């Protein structure tokens, strides 16, 4: 059997030796996958998992849900959800990375009332053996519900009443 053509090994003294040129084809899954030039983009619009069979350095962007505005005259607008960008983040093979997608704040039904904060979004939520540290983007704060009153805290605080 000549294995040289398929494995790049040579027969010498009754034994095959050499190095294999075979490589592991990356298998990555999770989210909605699109292609942008040389990049494969995995977009999560709901919570899920990211799976990989190879060690990778990936670019990660995590965006949290925004807050809603306060209800009533002179109330503030909701704050934007926080954002984290981490280029070249290491992901280990065999790891299932848990993704949590935070929703925007719930509408305020009546007022005057402070707006509701958005939820946090997390890449590497526990348990995630494929990552070393979770990345948590904070949800936006709700807008003030009364003129001159403080707004909610968050990735970006809500607007003050005016």
């Amino acid at each position: 059997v000549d294995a040289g053509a398929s494995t790049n090994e040579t027969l010498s003294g009754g034994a095959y030796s050499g190095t294999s040129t075979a490589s592991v084809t990356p298998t990555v899954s999770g989210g909605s996958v699109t292609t942008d030039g040389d990049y494969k983009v995995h977009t999560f619009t709901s919570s899920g998992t990211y799976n990989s069979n190879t060690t990778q350095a990936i670019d990660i962007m995590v965006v949290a849900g925004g807050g809603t505005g306060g209800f009533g005259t002179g109330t503030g607008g909701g704050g934007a959800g926080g954002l984290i960008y981490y280029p070249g983040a290491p992901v280990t093979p065999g790891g299932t990375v848990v993704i949590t997608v935070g929703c925007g704040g719930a509408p305020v039904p009546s007022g005057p009332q402070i707006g509701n904060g958005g939820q946090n979004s997390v890449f590497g939520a526990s348990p995630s053996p494929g990552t070393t540290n979770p990345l948590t983007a904070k949800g936006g704060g709700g807008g003030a519900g009364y003129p001159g009153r403080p707004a909610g805290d968050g990735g970006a605080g809500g607007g003050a009443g005016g």
Side-chain angles (χ1 to χ4, degrees), residues 62-65 81-84 102 118-123 135-140 155:
V62 183
V63 181
L83 178 135
I84 295 174
Q119 295 177 337
N120 296 346
S121 291
V122 184
F123 179 90
L135 301 173
T136 303
K138 300 288 187 181

Side-chain angles (χ1 to χ4, degrees), residues 18-130:
T19 57
S20 174
T21 58
S23 63
V24 175
T25 302
T27 302
V28 179
S29 63
S32 172
V33 182
T34 56
T35 301
D36 183 7
D38 292 337
Y39 290 89
K40 284 205 176 198
V41 179
H42 295 254
T43 303
F44 291 83
T45 55
S46 61
S47 297
T49 58
Y50 176 87
N51 305 290
S52 176
N53 70 337
T54 62
T55 298
Q56 298 180 335
I58 63 174
D59 295 344
I60 301 170
M61 182 181 295
V62 183
V63 181
T68 58
F71 189 99
T73 304
T75 59
L83 178 135
I84 295 174
Y85 177 66
Y86 182 5
V91 176
T92 58
T96 297
V97 180
V98 177
I99 309 293
T100 302
V101 176
C103 296
V108 178
S110 62
Q113 185 176 340
I114 189 171
N116 292 305
Q119 295 177 337
N120 296 346
S121 291
V122 184
F123 179 90
S126 182
S128 286

